[in-house]
Amino acid sequence: NPSDFQGHGTHVAGIAAAKGNNNLGVVGVCPNCRIMVIRAGYATTSGGSGSFSSTAITSALHYAADNNAKIISMSFGDGGDSITMKNAVDYAYSKGLVLIAGAGNSNTNLEFYPAAYDNVIAVTATDSLDMKASFSNYGYWTDIAAPGVNILSTALKTGIRIDPSGYRLASGTSQATPYVSGLAGLILSKNPIWNQKEVKDILKLGSDIISDE
């Protein structure tokens, strides 16, 4: 059951690919992209932020890789390096998928996984002044930054983290990640035979340098 009981997935999905030209709410970076909805956590309707396991994430990554996904957007992670998760990341990469993940929200340069794996594009967050967000992780292992403070996107109308309007504000590298994932979708829509390195290179060529202070 891929239903979003918690609201986090709904919010990040809207940033990447909310439909446009419909006079409703927000528009995603890649409004004509399609989303393959896979949930590897938040298995019940109760509780706060839910939990993940390497086994669940491995299953999700394999499912996406085996069912013709092009991009995997991962707004989750922690400081633990798991060989199980790394193997799943490497498997998806070997199938040609572009993998993108949030760098974490602890204002540290310590590695955060899966973002810190070599085959993943690690995304930090910026604020409205185009500076590193105060909470965002950073460091040599990160690749690119995107907006991540007070981002308006789609919300659940019932459940946890709801808004009756269907839209709410949220902050985090979780929000920055789908900006990059949506842009990767646009890049592949124009260049469908590009590999992961070509997508990563053009993302970085189109960016500017910010301070991590």
Side-chain angles (χ1 to χ4, degrees):
N1 178 3
S3 298
D4 180 12
F5 298 122
Q6 200 266 352
H8 183 268
T10 297
H11 199 267
V12 300
I15 295 168
K19 290 296 182 183
N21 297 321
N22 57 9
N23 294 315
L24 294 173
V26 298
V27 58
V29 178
C30 189
N32 291 319
C33 282
R34 294 181 296 169
I35 292 177
M36 180 183 293
V37 182
I38 304 170
R39 178 165 50 81
Y42 309 126
T44 69
T45 57
S46 62
S49 61
S51 62
F52 296 92
S53 71
S54 295
T55 300
I57 293 168
T58 295
S59 295
L61 293 176
H62 277 257
Y63 184 92
D66 292 340
N67 285 276
N68 301 315
K70 305 299 182 186
I71 298 164
I72 298 180
S73 187
M74 299 177 284
S75 290
F76 61 83
D78 60 35
D81 182 3
S82 162
I83 187 62
T84 302
M85 189 188 303
K86 182 180 186 303
N87 287 342
V89 163
D90 291 345
Y91 174 77
Y93 191 86
S94 74
K95 302 278 280 188
L97 279 74
V98 177
L99 294 105
I100 302 166
N105 305 320
S106 301
N107 189 30
T108 178
N109 62 2
L110 297 177
E111 294 177 351
F112 188 83
Y113 297 93
Y117 292 130
D118 290 341
N119 288 335
V120 178
I121 299 171
V123 184
T124 62
T126 54
D127 60 20
S128 60
L129 299 177
D130 203 25
M131 301 293 288
K132 185 187 84 68
S134 61
F135 54 78
S136 181
N137 292 353
Y138 59 94
Y140 74 92
W141 51 273
T142 61
D143 296 295
I144 198 166
V149 177
N150 290 329
I151 306 301
L152 183 68
S153 187
T154 43
L156 297 176
K157 293 187 177 182
T158 60
I160 305 169
R161 296 187 188 178
I162 66 169
D163 191 296
S165 72
Y167 304 92
R168 67 180 177 89
L169 295 169
S171 300
T173 58
S174 283
Q175 280 60 46
T177 298
Y179 272 108
V180 179
S181 300
L183 181 52
L186 290 178
I187 291 168
L188 286 176
S189 74
K190 295 296 184 182
N191 307 279
I193 65 171
W194 278 15
N195 62 33
Q196 300 105 313
K197 184 180 184 303
E198 289 170 313
V199 172
K200 182 177 180 178
D201 286 349
I202 201 68
L203 282 169
K204 297 183 78 169
L205 283 171
S207 64
D208 54 9
I209 302 297
I210 63 168
S211 171
D212 62 6
E213 298 299 325

